[in-house]
Structures are given as structure tokens and as C-alpha cells.
Amino acid sequence: MVKTQVEPDRTTIILTPNQSASWRQTKWFLIVLGSFVLSIAVAWSFVGAWIVLPFAGFEVGLLTFLMMKVCRNTYQKQVVTVDERKIKVESGVDMPDKTHAFNRHDSHLNITEPEHSMDKARLTLTDRKKSLELGAFLNQQDCKIARTQLSEAGLIVCSNKWWRSQQ
């Protein structure tokens, strides 16, 4: 998702991935599925196939670990603040853990256009010393919106396929 806040002296663009489920919904899914799998494993152990229990426990544990990791990654955020003199990019999951500052007059937004229509463009904020990819977690439609919003915020946009119009 792309959210923009325009103020007289600065523009703030917030980039976040789409969330298919909240943390609460993920926990309920894990409880229901885990209960179902473990109840079947317990039933089989009463019949005499006790070897099923460790595998069911491993399955539920692995699913829980992976779902927690995926859910946590959907809470990523990049906040791009553009003012008259600088561009500040803060990124992190719960709170900003990385902050990058760019001089606005030396910076530009480099667009790497996709080779295939199903791919998305790659947005890179670049100055003389460093580069930073913006919105790597965005989908194709949100990437186009972010490109438009960053351009409207006053960033110079350069494309590797400059002869094509923006799609």
C-alpha cells in the first residue's frame, strides 16, 4: 500500500506490503489447524500408531514458525520524507531500525523497467555515493503508484527504458 501525506514544506510517502491476514487471524488459523492435526495424531496413537505424534508435533511447530515469519514481514514499512533539501528514508518492522539520508539536489529515482509484463519495476533512490531500493515488497500496481507519488514529490525520475511511456 502507498499512503501520501502532503504538507506545505514536505511530502511523506509511506510504503507497506499488503496484508492478507492480521496477527490475530494468523493465531486463530494456527490454533484451529494445530488442534485438528494434533487431535488426529492423538487418535492414531490410541490405536497404536504412536510414531505419528512426533511428526504431527514437528508439522505444527514448523507451520507456526513459518506463519509467524511471514506475518511479521507483512508489517514492514518504509517512510520516505522529501523536503526542500533532503530525502530521508526510514525502514523497519515495528519501528525504524534503518535511516538513510540523501541530498535532494544530488538524488534521483532510478527505474529499472520489467522485461516481462507480469514483473514489476524496480525503484532505486540513488545519489553520488549510495543507492537504496524502495518498496521491494510492493506489488506491481502499488509500485506504479509509488513511482507516481515520488515523481509528484519532486524527485527526478530516470528510466532504463526512457523511450517508452510510463505504463
Side-chain angles (χ1 to χ4, degrees):
M1 290 182 1
V2 180
K3 296 179 185 174
T4 306
Q5 300 170 352
V6 179
E7 298 172 14
D9 59 338
R10 82 175 106 188
T11 301
T12 304
I13 301 169
I14 302 169
L15 308 173
T16 56
N18 293 330
Q19 276 187 326
S20 59
S22 68
W23 174 237
R24 183 179 179 153
Q25 293 167 333
T26 302
K27 286 192 294 189
W28 275 109
F29 172 76
L30 291 171
I31 289 169
V32 168
L33 193 65
S35 300
F36 180 71
V37 168
L38 291 177
S39 65
I40 291 173
V42 167
W44 276 104
S45 70
F46 282 136
V47 175
W50 58 268
I51 194 71
V52 173
L53 276 175
F55 291 104
F58 177 72
E59 177 184 357
V60 171
L62 183 63
L63 179 67
T64 301
F65 172 74
L66 294 175
M67 289 296 289
M68 287 174 58
K69 207 155 173 60
V70 167
C71 188
R72 180 161 171 80
N73 283 336
T74 63
Y75 285 94
Q76 290 183 61
K77 185 185 289 188
Q78 278 186 329
V79 179
V80 182
T81 306
V82 181
D83 63 21
E84 293 178 14
R85 299 177 60 204
K86 66 179 178 176
I87 302 167
K88 183 170 75 169
V89 180
E90 298 173 313
S91 57
V93 176
D94 293 327
M95 55 189 226
D97 57 354
K98 293 181 184 175
T99 302
H100 302 275
F102 294 85
N103 183 350
R104 182 172 175 181
H105 301 293
D106 293 337
S107 302
H108 65 278
L109 183 65
N110 190 19
I111 310 291
T112 306
E113 297 290 345
E115 295 297 324
H116 190 271
S117 63
M118 297 300 288
D119 293 335
K120 68 179 185 90
R122 187 172 172 207
L123 309 175
T124 308
L125 185 60
T126 306
D127 69 0
R128 295 179 188 179
K129 298 178 184 175
K130 59 185 170 186
S131 295
L132 177 67
E133 185 172 4
L134 298 177
F137 45 77
L138 295 177
N139 61 24
Q140 190 177 31
Q141 182 181 1
D142 287 343
C143 193
K144 289 178 184 178
I145 295 169
R147 175 184 184 166
T148 303
Q149 294 298 322
L150 289 165
S151 176
E152 289 176 2
L155 270 68
I156 298 170
V157 177
C158 300
S159 175
N160 67 329
K161 296 183 180 177
W162 52 268
W163 59 91
R164 291 186 185 172
S165 63
Q166 179 181 345
Q167 300 169 342

